[in-house]
Amino acid sequence: TQLLEQSPQFLSIQEGENLTVYCNSSSVFSSLQWYRQEPGEGPVLLVTVVTGGEVKKLKRLTFQFGDARKDSSLHITAAQPGDTGLYLCAARGEGTYKYIFGTGTRLKVLA
Amino acid sequence: ETGVTQSPTHLIKTRGQQVTLRCSSQSGHNTVSWYQQALGQGPQFIFQYYREEENGRGNFPPRFSGLQFPNYSSELNVNALELDDSALYLCASSLLRGETEAFFGQGTRLTVV
């Protein structure tokens, strides 16, 4: 069974600080996605990475896919209260169609 | 807004009852996946439907079943509800089977008492 572990589980930081969230597995994935979910809402796709070593930027968010396609990181620069939410990684194994979700990182940015 | 709508948004059922949840996929999307998200957890894959046929299933018992209709909308049925079935149920639609970009609905919050 493929498992995706995210760390940390919870993070509470002050506005303006930087943070990194990690998504790790022992399995190789064909693609990996990051989502953000707010209470009472469905997850919203932030980015998809498919190539080992790939780096994508979305404003203050930087996403990296590990060289071996087993892990990923999400780095937020100068966090803002609007970044508060549950961050989920989801990955698809090679030869499969379903996405497996990580355990999630709950981020709270204090003003 | 993604164009994926789920109904109802909230539901309370009694243990042992049956429930049907509905999902209207985004226009043109022919693939629907259903997920269960327990409080404080990431979504768990239940199953996927592609062109009206089940295309893959997660570790859920047979009392979780589904349908996809010719217009690609979908239903999730759960029989003999248990307390642990209380969760947010999400559907996601995509254009093609295996498509990287899937759009989620807002979910149905099911409470089993």
Side-chain angles (χ1 to χ4, degrees), chain A residues 2-102:
Chain A
Q2 298 166 325
L3 289 175
L4 277 175
E5 293 189 0
Q6 288 186 240
S7 60
Q9 273 190 291
F10 301 96
L11 193 54
S12 181
I13 61 172
Q14 294 293 324
E15 182 177 4
E17 291 184 359
N18 301 333
L19 67 116
T20 302
V21 175
Y22 300 93
C23 175
N24 295 295
S25 175
S26 58
S27 302
V28 176
F29 296 108
S30 60
S31 63
L32 188 142
Q33 299 180 319
W34 284 94
Y35 290 82
R36 180 167 160 264
Q37 184 178 22
E38 298 194 38
E41 303 285 332
V44 175
L45 180 65
L46 297 173
V47 76
T48 301
V49 286
V50 296
T51 305
E54 183 176 2
V55 176
K56 282 192 175 179
K57 291 193 175 185
L58 184 65
K59 296 183 181 178
R60 294 176 293 101
L61 278 60
T62 301
F63 306 87
Q64 183 162 9
F65 202 12
D67 291 340
R69 290 184 290 134
K70 293 183 179 181
D71 53 79
S72 181
S73 63
L74 158 60
H75 182 77
I76 301 179
T77 303
Q80 299 176 1
D83 295 328
T84 293
L86 178 67
Y87 288 82
L88 295 159
C89 64
R92 185 177 65 177
E94 292 181 316
T96 70
Y97 293 117
K98 69 177 184 182
Y99 273 90
I100 298 168
F101 278 82

Side-chain angles (χ1 to χ4, degrees), chain B residues 79-95:
Chain B
N79 294 322
L81 283 166
E82 300 176 0
L83 297 179
D84 285 349
D85 295 334
S86 296
L88 180 68
Y89 288 85
L90 297 160
C91 79
S93 78
S94 56
L95 180 57

Side-chain angles (χ1 to χ4, degrees), chain B residues 22-90:
Chain B
R22 295 179 174 82
C23 173
S24 293
S25 57
Q26 188 152 317
S27 178
H29 285 188
N30 58 19
T31 303
V32 173
S33 301
W34 284 92
Y35 293 84
Q36 180 196 66
Q37 186 175 23
L39 203 59
Q41 306 279 328
Q44 299 291 314
F45 176 77
I46 302 175
F47 42 57
Q48 182 183 82
Y49 278 83
Y50 170 68
R51 291 186 175 179
E52 302 178 59
E53 291 193 3
E54 189 177 291
N55 182 46
R57 191 178 181 93
N59 295 325
F60 281 81
R63 59 189 184 84
F64 285 78
S65 63
L67 281 173
Q68 188 179 30
F69 299 99
N71 67 354
Y72 302 131
S73 65
S74 179
E75 286 182 356
L76 164 64
N77 299 290
V78 187
N79 294 322
L81 283 166
E82 300 176 0
L83 297 179
D84 285 349
D85 295 334
S86 296
L88 180 68
Y89 288 85
L90 297 160

